[in-house]
Structure formats: structure tokens, C-alpha cells
Amino acid sequence: MTREERHALLGPDIVAHIHECVDAAPDPSPELVEKLRRIMTRPGGSVPASRPAVSARPAARAA
């Protein structure tokens, strides 16, 4: 959804109220910013190391 679409959906009064609330909110602490940066960088946690696939069935013997 674009900014224009959100504005059309919510209307100018609601958008102005949202901006007022955001402006009134305190700035986040450096610790919070660092925690959020880690979450946003890797939302799923660390990436597991790759490993060879394990076959569910034993390989067929060559005849």
C-alpha cells in the first residue's frame, strides 16, 4: 500500500493524529536500537550451517 493509498483510506485527520502521537513519543534508547537492529538484520536468528543431505532410503545396489 502506498502512502497515498493509506492517506486516502485513513483520512487527513487520522494521519495528523498518528503524526502527533509519533512526535510525542520519546526517542528509543541506544540499547533498544541495537536490539532492534539485530532482530531486523536476522529475524530468524542465526543461519544454520549447511550439511549434506541424508537419504531416507539406502542406496540401491548396482546389479
Side-chain angles (χ1 to χ4, degrees):
M1 181 179 290
T2 66
R3 181 179 185 160
E4 292 77 22
E5 290 171 330
R6 283 192 303 274
H7 198 282
L9 181 67
L10 298 173
D13 294 337
I14 299 297
V15 172
H17 177 71
I18 291 170
H19 284 281
E20 290 170 10
C21 291
V22 169
D23 290 341
D27 288 336
S29 68
E31 293 83 14
L32 177 60
V33 171
E34 183 57 31
K35 286 180 183 179
L36 292 174
R37 183 174 288 126
R38 285 189 219 149
I39 292 169
M40 300 304 255
T41 303
R42 290 195 178 160
S46 35
V47 178
S50 63
R51 58 180 189 212
V54 177
S55 177
R57 297 185 207 151
R61 293 186 180 173

